[in-house]
Amino acid sequence: ERFFCRLKQFRRLATRYEKLATRFNAFLQLACAYIWLM
C-alpha cells in the first residue's frame, strides 16, 4: 500500500502521460527502481 502511494508521487504515472504501453511500462520500471534504491 505504501509502495503505491509512492508511485503516485510520479505525476507521469498517475496521469498516464505516456499513451504507449511499452513506454508506460519502461517508466514504471524506472520509478520502481528509484523507489527501491531510496
Side-chain angles (χ1 to χ4, degrees):
E1 187 175 336
R2 290 180 62 202
F3 180 74
F4 290 111
C5 288
R6 288 183 182 179
L7 275 179
K8 289 180 184 178
Q9 292 176 355
F10 293 93
R11 185 176 186 173
R12 196 170 185 169
L13 287 175
T15 59
R16 185 70 193 250
Y17 180 76
E18 301 291 343
K19 298 300 178 194
L20 296 176
T22 54
R23 289 186 182 176
F24 180 77
N25 190 22
F27 190 76
L28 179 64
Q29 290 177 359
L30 284 174
C32 291
Y34 179 77
I35 291 172
W36 182 66
L37 289 173
M38 288 186 78

